[in-house]
Amino acid sequence: MRDVLTRLGLGTTNPGAWAGHALSGAHDGSIDSVDPSDNSVLGSVQLATLDQYENVVSEAARAFKEWRMLPAPHRGEIVRQMGDALRANKVDLGALESLEVGKIRAEGQGEVQESIDIADFSVGLSRQLYGLSMHSERARHRMYEQWHPLGVVGVITAFNFPNAVWAWNAMIAAVCGDTVVWKPSLKAPLTAIATHKICQAVLEKNGWNGVFGLVIGRDATVGEAMLRDPRIPLVSATGSTRMGRHVGSVVAQRFGRTLLELGGNNAIIVEPDADLNLAVRGITFGAVGTAGQRCTTTRRLLVNRRIAGELVPRLVAAWKQCRIGHPLEEGTLVGPLIDADAVASFEHAVAEAVAQGGEILVGGRRVQRPGNYVEPTIIRANPGMAVCREETFAPILYVMEYDTLQEAIDIQNDVPQGLSSSIFTDSFRSAETFLSHAGSDCGIANVNIGTSGAEIGGAFGGEKETGGGRESGSDSWKAYMRRQTNTLNWGTDLPMAQGITFTV
Ligand code: NAD
């Protein structure tokens, strides 16, 4: 299983600072990359020093001056080649994710597919970085806006999407003319190194260095340096709300921009007229997939009281069938949590839920085997329970009953987070109510599909404590560029706007 490490060029000790090539020399200690299925060590990574961080950012700033002048479709052509390189390595990279963060095989490969998809999307985008043109109120004047690259973009990623979240940012930033410095999670450093090396090889083949850099280092040193670095006009950060609150305020102090993709507390509403076959599948994948470690994981189920007696036992039965096992074993649906701390958070949340009046319907315990496995869990709850308002990164579904759709929407919206939401219904009116201005307050609102598994074509992100950022498709690229309004006078007069006269 571990031969993928060799095939992806990873050693037992790996450098953590990359400015195109690996930076050798001093390091700030090292960390182990740990396989969550048995807590054995996969390899170690030397942490970047502040000097190395300096080196990587200087190189990215130098490269930006040239990269921004390469026509966008040419940048797109290089990104196209990166998509192909990721395609060629999809199976190995996916397997590496299974080893490093415990995703089951299909989900590890699915994540790499997302990176390939965003590369394809970015290639097309490289010919579509459109600005508007406007009609000037002044005679013989032309007014339009154009989009310029921003500079060096800092990308901070969470452990649970160790490949795609970087690609969402980096592929789009690259066609926009930016260079990128990546600070990945210390829980998934090998996936970051392997991904960087694959894309760097393409850049090098095309004669480019410094367009993508990688620094694997401590939050308190290189992380903080990135937040405070005036050479980095945009920091795109994915992770917990706690992290985002800090990143947002520090970067704002220097008037830098942030793109924040933070925690979710996503709900599915099931109406009495729903197709329950669809609902059972959508809820199960949403709540149990990736062992509950997606930002879009379904954490709350709001079921109409009239059908709760039918739906909930079906879910309990489905939960019991979910096979827990090694992520690369055929037939496994639920892999391990990322580490022992995540297991402790799971146990704490279950205990809290019971203390607050919840009733465990299935699951609720850690699994007695090596590694960080827990049972997918359903807890009968009520909206007043404090634990239901928090994001616990584990497979726990809180089930609550309601009487009217309005009541369900109110419960759904009454949490601090606002990422993803769904309704299962066959009623056009209920679906439209859910999607209306008075409906879901989330960045993502679905009908008859679950809360997780977004496609890259749409803008991805959420409201409230989810941070307000939008990444991936649609017009999210605008976050990676600066807008400039240009007015050109081709006449012989100098008329003022608003009819002002000013004669000298
Ligand atoms: P985390 O907040 O612990 O860490 C995320 C990243 O932030 C890591 O790279 C970490 O090193 C970095 N970081 C932390 N403090 C920092 C600092 N002071 N300076 C610079 N960097 C710092 O999150 P996690 O446990 O890795 O991931 C799980 C969380 O991520 C969940 O809350 C999940 O909902 C969220 N998430 C959100 C999205 C989204 O798109 N909304 C996607 C994936 C994950």
PDB file of all heavy atoms in Angstrom, residues 166-193:
ATOM      1  N   TRP A 166      -6.333  23.551  -2.216  1.00  0.00           N
ATOM      2  CA  TRP A 166      -5.202  24.285  -2.806  1.00  0.00           C
ATOM      3  C   TRP A 166      -5.454  24.508  -4.303  1.00  0.00           C
ATOM      4  O   TRP A 166      -5.281  25.618  -4.814  1.00  0.00           O
ATOM      5  CB  TRP A 166      -3.890  23.513  -2.598  1.00  0.00           C
ATOM      6  CG  TRP A 166      -2.772  24.133  -3.389  1.00  0.00           C
ATOM      7  CD1 TRP A 166      -2.063  25.265  -3.062  1.00  0.00           C
ATOM      8  CD2 TRP A 166      -2.271  23.691  -4.656  1.00  0.00           C
ATOM      9  NE1 TRP A 166      -1.152  25.542  -4.053  1.00  0.00           N
ATOM     10  CE2 TRP A 166      -1.257  24.599  -5.043  1.00  0.00           C
ATOM     11  CE3 TRP A 166      -2.572  22.618  -5.494  1.00  0.00           C
ATOM     12  CZ2 TRP A 166      -0.548  24.472  -6.232  1.00  0.00           C
ATOM     13  CZ3 TRP A 166      -1.867  22.477  -6.678  1.00  0.00           C
ATOM     14  CH2 TRP A 166      -0.867  23.401  -7.042  1.00  0.00           C
ATOM     15  N   ALA A 167      -5.889  23.449  -4.978  1.00  0.00           N
ATOM     16  CA  ALA A 167      -6.094  23.562  -6.433  1.00  0.00           C
ATOM     17  C   ALA A 167      -7.182  24.577  -6.764  1.00  0.00           C
ATOM     18  O   ALA A 167      -7.047  25.346  -7.720  1.00  0.00           O
ATOM     19  CB  ALA A 167      -6.435  22.195  -7.026  1.00  0.00           C
ATOM     20  N   TRP A 168      -8.266  24.605  -5.974  1.00  0.00           N
ATOM     21  CA  TRP A 168      -9.322  25.600  -6.224  1.00  0.00           C
ATOM     22  C   TRP A 168      -8.719  26.997  -6.269  1.00  0.00           C
ATOM     23  O   TRP A 168      -9.106  27.825  -7.083  1.00  0.00           O
ATOM     24  CB  TRP A 168     -10.332  25.624  -5.079  1.00  0.00           C
ATOM     25  CG  TRP A 168     -11.257  24.473  -4.975  1.00  0.00           C
ATOM     26  CD1 TRP A 168     -11.308  23.362  -5.759  1.00  0.00           C
ATOM     27  CD2 TRP A 168     -12.286  24.328  -3.997  1.00  0.00           C
ATOM     28  NE1 TRP A 168     -12.304  22.542  -5.316  1.00  0.00           N
ATOM     29  CE2 TRP A 168     -12.917  23.104  -4.248  1.00  0.00           C
ATOM     30  CE3 TRP A 168     -12.722  25.121  -2.929  1.00  0.00           C
ATOM     31  CZ2 TRP A 168     -13.979  22.647  -3.472  1.00  0.00           C
ATOM     32  CZ3 TRP A 168     -13.762  24.672  -2.165  1.00  0.00           C
ATOM     33  CH2 TRP A 168     -14.390  23.448  -2.424  1.00  0.00           C
ATOM     34  N   ASN A 169      -7.815  27.250  -5.342  1.00  0.00           N
ATOM     35  CA  ASN A 169      -7.194  28.575  -5.275  1.00  0.00           C
ATOM     36  C   ASN A 169      -6.090  28.731  -6.316  1.00  0.00           C
ATOM     37  O   ASN A 169      -6.050  29.706  -7.050  1.00  0.00           O
ATOM     38  CB  ASN A 169      -6.592  28.794  -3.881  1.00  0.00           C
ATOM     39  CG  ASN A 169      -7.649  29.068  -2.838  1.00  0.00           C
ATOM     40  OD1 ASN A 169      -8.143  30.189  -2.723  1.00  0.00           O
ATOM     41  ND2 ASN A 169      -8.019  28.058  -2.081  1.00  0.00           N
ATOM     42  N   ALA A 170      -5.204  27.746  -6.358  1.00  0.00           N
ATOM     43  CA  ALA A 170      -3.970  27.923  -7.129  1.00  0.00           C
ATOM     44  C   ALA A 170      -4.210  27.924  -8.636  1.00  0.00           C
ATOM     45  O   ALA A 170      -3.601  28.718  -9.365  1.00  0.00           O
ATOM     46  CB  ALA A 170      -2.973  26.828  -6.758  1.00  0.00           C
ATOM     47  N   MET A 171      -5.084  27.065  -9.128  1.00  0.00           N
ATOM     48  CA  MET A 171      -5.305  26.998 -10.574  1.00  0.00           C
ATOM     49  C   MET A 171      -5.933  28.301 -11.064  1.00  0.00           C
ATOM     50  O   MET A 171      -5.552  28.835 -12.110  1.00  0.00           O
ATOM     51  CB  MET A 171      -6.212  25.809 -10.935  1.00  0.00           C
ATOM     52  CG  MET A 171      -5.660  24.464 -10.533  1.00  0.00           C
ATOM     53  SD  MET A 171      -4.092  24.098 -11.353  1.00  0.00           S
ATOM     54  CE  MET A 171      -3.605  22.604 -10.527  1.00  0.00           C
ATOM     55  N   ILE A 172      -6.894  28.793 -10.305  1.00  0.00           N
ATOM     56  CA  ILE A 172      -7.557  30.035 -10.713  1.00  0.00           C
ATOM     57  C   ILE A 172      -6.602  31.217 -10.552  1.00  0.00           C
ATOM     58  O   ILE A 172      -6.474  32.047 -11.453  1.00  0.00           O
ATOM     59  CB  ILE A 172      -8.868  30.220  -9.930  1.00  0.00           C
ATOM     60  CG1 ILE A 172      -9.832  29.129 -10.411  1.00  0.00           C
ATOM     61  CG2 ILE A 172      -9.445  31.621 -10.117  1.00  0.00           C
ATOM     62  CD1 ILE A 172     -11.232  29.219  -9.950  1.00  0.00           C
ATOM     63  N   ALA A 173      -5.902  31.268  -9.411  1.00  0.00           N
ATOM     64  CA  ALA A 173      -4.937  32.360  -9.204  1.00  0.00           C
ATOM     65  C   ALA A 173      -3.906  32.364 -10.331  1.00  0.00           C
ATOM     66  O   ALA A 173      -3.522  33.421 -10.844  1.00  0.00           O
ATOM     67  CB  ALA A 173      -4.260  32.211  -7.849  1.00  0.00           C
ATOM     68  N   ALA A 174      -3.455  31.183 -10.737  1.00  0.00           N
ATOM     69  CA  ALA A 174      -2.400  31.097 -11.761  1.00  0.00           C
ATOM     70  C   ALA A 174      -2.888  31.660 -13.095  1.00  0.00           C
ATOM     71  O   ALA A 174      -2.164  32.425 -13.742  1.00  0.00           O
ATOM     72  CB  ALA A 174      -1.934  29.651 -11.924  1.00  0.00           C
ATOM     73  N   VAL A 175      -4.091  31.320 -13.525  1.00  0.00           N
ATOM     74  CA  VAL A 175      -4.538  31.890 -14.811  1.00  0.00           C
ATOM     75  C   VAL A 175      -4.815  33.393 -14.669  1.00  0.00           C
ATOM     76  O   VAL A 175      -4.687  34.135 -15.636  1.00  0.00           O
ATOM     77  CB  VAL A 175      -5.766  31.168 -15.443  1.00  0.00           C
ATOM     78  CG1 VAL A 175      -5.445  29.740 -15.784  1.00  0.00           C
ATOM     79  CG2 VAL A 175      -7.004  31.276 -14.590  1.00  0.00           C
ATOM     80  N   CYS A 176      -5.155  33.815 -13.463  1.00  0.00           N
ATOM     81  CA  CYS A 176      -5.373  35.253 -13.242  1.00  0.00           C
ATOM     82  C   CYS A 176      -4.054  36.036 -13.267  1.00  0.00           C
ATOM     83  O   CYS A 176      -4.071  37.264 -13.280  1.00  0.00           O
ATOM     84  CB  CYS A 176      -6.076  35.496 -11.915  1.00  0.00           C
ATOM     85  SG  CYS A 176      -7.810  34.996 -11.924  1.00  0.00           S
ATOM     86  N   GLY A 177      -2.912  35.341 -13.214  1.00  0.00           N
ATOM     87  CA  GLY A 177      -1.616  36.021 -13.281  1.00  0.00           C
ATOM     88  C   GLY A 177      -0.938  36.185 -11.938  1.00  0.00           C
ATOM     89  O   GLY A 177       0.078  36.880 -11.829  1.00  0.00           O
ATOM     90  N   ASP A 178      -1.493  35.559 -10.897  1.00  0.00           N
ATOM     91  CA  ASP A 178      -0.892  35.628  -9.563  1.00  0.00           C
ATOM     92  C   ASP A 178       0.100  34.482  -9.371  1.00  0.00           C
ATOM     93  O   ASP A 178       0.018  33.458 -10.054  1.00  0.00           O
ATOM     94  CB  ASP A 178      -1.977  35.471  -8.483  1.00  0.00           C
ATOM     95  CG  ASP A 178      -3.048  36.540  -8.578  1.00  0.00           C
ATOM     96  OD1 ASP A 178      -2.694  37.706  -8.826  1.00  0.00           O
ATOM     97  OD2 ASP A 178      -4.238  36.208  -8.407  1.00  0.00           O
ATOM     98  N   THR A 179       0.985  34.641  -8.422  1.00  0.00           N
ATOM     99  CA  THR A 179       1.778  33.505  -7.960  1.00  0.00           C
ATOM    100  C   THR A 179       1.233  33.104  -6.584  1.00  0.00           C
ATOM    101  O   THR A 179       0.492  33.872  -5.959  1.00  0.00           O
ATOM    102  CB  THR A 179       3.277  33.842  -7.923  1.00  0.00           C
ATOM    103  OG1 THR A 179       3.476  35.015  -7.111  1.00  0.00           O
ATOM    104  CG2 THR A 179       3.809  34.116  -9.318  1.00  0.00           C
ATOM    105  N   VAL A 180       1.577  31.914  -6.136  1.00  0.00           N
ATOM    106  CA  VAL A 180       0.905  31.343  -4.959  1.00  0.00           C
ATOM    107  C   VAL A 180       1.920  30.758  -3.983  1.00  0.00           C
ATOM    108  O   VAL A 180       2.820  30.028  -4.392  1.00  0.00           O
ATOM    109  CB  VAL A 180      -0.062  30.211  -5.410  1.00  0.00           C
ATOM    110  CG1 VAL A 180      -0.710  29.536  -4.202  1.00  0.00           C
ATOM    111  CG2 VAL A 180      -1.140  30.747  -6.350  1.00  0.00           C
ATOM    112  N   VAL A 181       1.765  31.095  -2.713  1.00  0.00           N
ATOM    113  CA  VAL A 181       2.541  30.409  -1.665  1.00  0.00           C
ATOM    114  C   VAL A 181       1.555  29.646  -0.788  1.00  0.00           C
ATOM    115  O   VAL A 181       0.606  30.226  -0.260  1.00  0.00           O
ATOM    116  CB  VAL A 181       3.372  31.406  -0.818  1.00  0.00           C
ATOM    117  CG1 VAL A 181       4.044  30.681   0.345  1.00  0.00           C
ATOM    118  CG2 VAL A 181       4.427  32.085  -1.693  1.00  0.00           C
ATOM    119  N   TRP A 182       1.797  28.367  -0.656  1.00  0.00           N
ATOM    120  CA  TRP A 182       0.869  27.455   0.037  1.00  0.00           C
ATOM    121  C   TRP A 182       1.400  27.099   1.406  1.00  0.00           C
ATOM    122  O   TRP A 182       2.535  26.634   1.533  1.00  0.00           O
ATOM    123  CB  TRP A 182       0.723  26.196  -0.821  1.00  0.00           C
ATOM    124  CG  TRP A 182      -0.220  25.147  -0.321  1.00  0.00           C
ATOM    125  CD1 TRP A 182      -1.108  25.224   0.709  1.00  0.00           C
ATOM    126  CD2 TRP A 182      -0.368  23.822  -0.864  1.00  0.00           C
ATOM    127  NE1 TRP A 182      -1.807  24.046   0.833  1.00  0.00           N
ATOM    128  CE2 TRP A 182      -1.377  23.174  -0.109  1.00  0.00           C
ATOM    129  CE3 TRP A 182       0.251  23.135  -1.919  1.00  0.00           C
ATOM    130  CZ2 TRP A 182      -1.773  21.859  -0.381  1.00  0.00           C
ATOM    131  CZ3 TRP A 182      -0.148  21.827  -2.178  1.00  0.00           C
ATOM    132  CH2 TRP A 182      -1.147  21.201  -1.420  1.00  0.00           C
ATOM    133  N   LYS A 183       0.550  27.299   2.421  1.00  0.00           N
ATOM    134  CA  LYS A 183       0.857  26.805   3.772  1.00  0.00           C
ATOM    135  C   LYS A 183      -0.197  25.761   4.129  1.00  0.00           C
ATOM    136  O   LYS A 183      -1.305  26.088   4.534  1.00  0.00           O
ATOM    137  CB  LYS A 183       0.819  27.947   4.792  1.00  0.00           C
ATOM    138  CG  LYS A 183       1.512  27.577   6.079  1.00  0.00           C
ATOM    139  CD  LYS A 183       0.869  28.113   7.334  1.00  0.00           C
ATOM    140  CE  LYS A 183      -0.370  27.406   7.725  1.00  0.00           C
ATOM    141  NZ  LYS A 183      -0.259  25.962   8.019  1.00  0.00           N
ATOM    142  N   PRO A 184       0.130  24.479   3.957  1.00  0.00           N
ATOM    143  CA  PRO A 184      -0.873  23.433   4.213  1.00  0.00           C
ATOM    144  C   PRO A 184      -0.980  23.085   5.694  1.00  0.00           C
ATOM    145  O   PRO A 184      -0.179  23.541   6.510  1.00  0.00           O
ATOM    146  CB  PRO A 184      -0.316  22.247   3.420  1.00  0.00           C
ATOM    147  CG  PRO A 184       1.163  22.445   3.441  1.00  0.00           C
ATOM    148  CD  PRO A 184       1.417  23.930   3.521  1.00  0.00           C
ATOM    149  N   SER A 185      -1.959  22.255   6.011  1.00  0.00           N
ATOM    150  CA  SER A 185      -2.123  21.763   7.378  1.00  0.00           C
ATOM    151  C   SER A 185      -0.962  20.839   7.737  1.00  0.00           C
ATOM    152  O   SER A 185      -0.514  20.035   6.906  1.00  0.00           O
ATOM    153  CB  SER A 185      -3.440  20.981   7.465  1.00  0.00           C
ATOM    154  OG  SER A 185      -3.450  20.200   8.634  1.00  0.00           O
ATOM    155  N   LEU A 186      -0.518  20.919   8.982  1.00  0.00           N
ATOM    156  CA  LEU A 186       0.565  20.024   9.422  1.00  0.00           C
ATOM    157  C   LEU A 186       0.069  18.584   9.563  1.00  0.00           C
ATOM    158  O   LEU A 186       0.855  17.678   9.806  1.00  0.00           O
ATOM    159  CB  LEU A 186       1.152  20.512  10.744  1.00  0.00           C
ATOM    160  CG  LEU A 186       1.916  21.843  10.675  1.00  0.00           C
ATOM    161  CD1 LEU A 186       2.574  22.161  12.012  1.00  0.00           C
ATOM    162  CD2 LEU A 186       2.956  21.829   9.563  1.00  0.00           C
ATOM    163  N   LYS A 187      -1.244  18.387   9.393  1.00  0.00           N
ATOM    164  CA  LYS A 187      -1.778  17.013   9.465  1.00  0.00           C
ATOM    165  C   LYS A 187      -1.755  16.330   8.097  1.00  0.00           C
ATOM    166  O   LYS A 187      -2.079  15.155   7.999  1.00  0.00           O
ATOM    167  CB  LYS A 187      -3.212  17.037  10.009  1.00  0.00           C
ATOM    168  CG  LYS A 187      -3.284  17.536  11.443  1.00  0.00           C
ATOM    169  CD  LYS A 187      -4.717  17.672  11.911  1.00  0.00           C
ATOM    170  CE  LYS A 187      -4.763  18.327  13.288  1.00  0.00           C
ATOM    171  NZ  LYS A 187      -6.121  18.672  13.688  1.00  0.00           N
ATOM    172  N   ALA A 188      -1.434  17.081   7.035  1.00  0.00           N
ATOM    173  CA  ALA A 188      -1.410  16.450   5.703  1.00  0.00           C
ATOM    174  C   ALA A 188      -0.251  16.978   4.859  1.00  0.00           C
ATOM    175  O   ALA A 188      -0.435  17.392   3.714  1.00  0.00           O
ATOM    176  CB  ALA A 188      -2.746  16.700   4.991  1.00  0.00           C
ATOM    177  N   PRO A 189       0.975  16.945   5.409  1.00  0.00           N
ATOM    178  CA  PRO A 189       2.089  17.567   4.688  1.00  0.00           C
ATOM    179  C   PRO A 189       2.557  16.776   3.470  1.00  0.00           C
ATOM    180  O   PRO A 189       3.018  17.363   2.494  1.00  0.00           O
ATOM    181  CB  PRO A 189       3.192  17.632   5.747  1.00  0.00           C
ATOM    182  CG  PRO A 189       2.887  16.510   6.685  1.00  0.00           C
ATOM    183  CD  PRO A 189       1.386  16.411   6.725  1.00  0.00           C
ATOM    184  N   LEU A 190       2.420  15.449   3.503  1.00  0.00           N
ATOM    185  CA  LEU A 190       2.943  14.663   2.379  1.00  0.00           C
ATOM    186  C   LEU A 190       2.092  14.861   1.130  1.00  0.00           C
ATOM    187  O   LEU A 190       2.613  14.934   0.010  1.00  0.00           O
ATOM    188  CB  LEU A 190       3.018  13.170   2.751  1.00  0.00           C
ATOM    189  CG  LEU A 190       3.980  12.815   3.891  1.00  0.00           C
ATOM    190  CD1 LEU A 190       4.004  11.301   4.103  1.00  0.00           C
ATOM    191  CD2 LEU A 190       5.399  13.319   3.609  1.00  0.00           C
ATOM    192  N   THR A 191       0.782  14.960   1.308  1.00  0.00           N
ATOM    193  CA  THR A 191      -0.088  15.221   0.148  1.00  0.00           C
ATOM    194  C   THR A 191       0.292  16.563  -0.475  1.00  0.00           C
ATOM    195  O   THR A 191       0.316  16.708  -1.699  1.00  0.00           O
ATOM    196  CB  THR A 191      -1.570  15.215   0.571  1.00  0.00           C
ATOM    197  OG1 THR A 191      -1.847  13.988   1.231  1.00  0.00           O
ATOM    198  CG2 THR A 191      -2.499  15.361  -0.629  1.00  0.00           C
ATOM    199  N   ALA A 192       0.613  17.530   0.376  1.00  0.00           N
ATOM    200  CA  ALA A 192       0.991  18.854  -0.140  1.00  0.00           C
ATOM    201  C   ALA A 192       2.293  18.757  -0.943  1.00  0.00           C
ATOM    202  O   ALA A 192       2.390  19.301  -2.054  1.00  0.00           O
ATOM    203  CB  ALA A 192       1.148  19.841   1.015  1.00  0.00           C
ATOM    204  N   ILE A 193       3.280  18.051  -0.401  1.00  0.00           N
ATOM    205  CA  ILE A 193       4.571  17.954  -1.107  1.00  0.00           C
ATOM    206  C   ILE A 193       4.384  17.231  -2.447  1.00  0.00           C
ATOM    207  O   ILE A 193       4.878  17.681  -3.489  1.00  0.00           O
ATOM    208  CB  ILE A 193       5.619  17.228  -0.234  1.00  0.00           C
ATOM    209  CG1 ILE A 193       5.959  18.091   0.982  1.00  0.00           C
ATOM    210  CG2 ILE A 193       6.887  16.928  -1.034  1.00  0.00           C
ATOM    211  CD1 ILE A 193       6.882  17.428   1.997  1.00  0.00           C
TER     212      ILE A 193
END
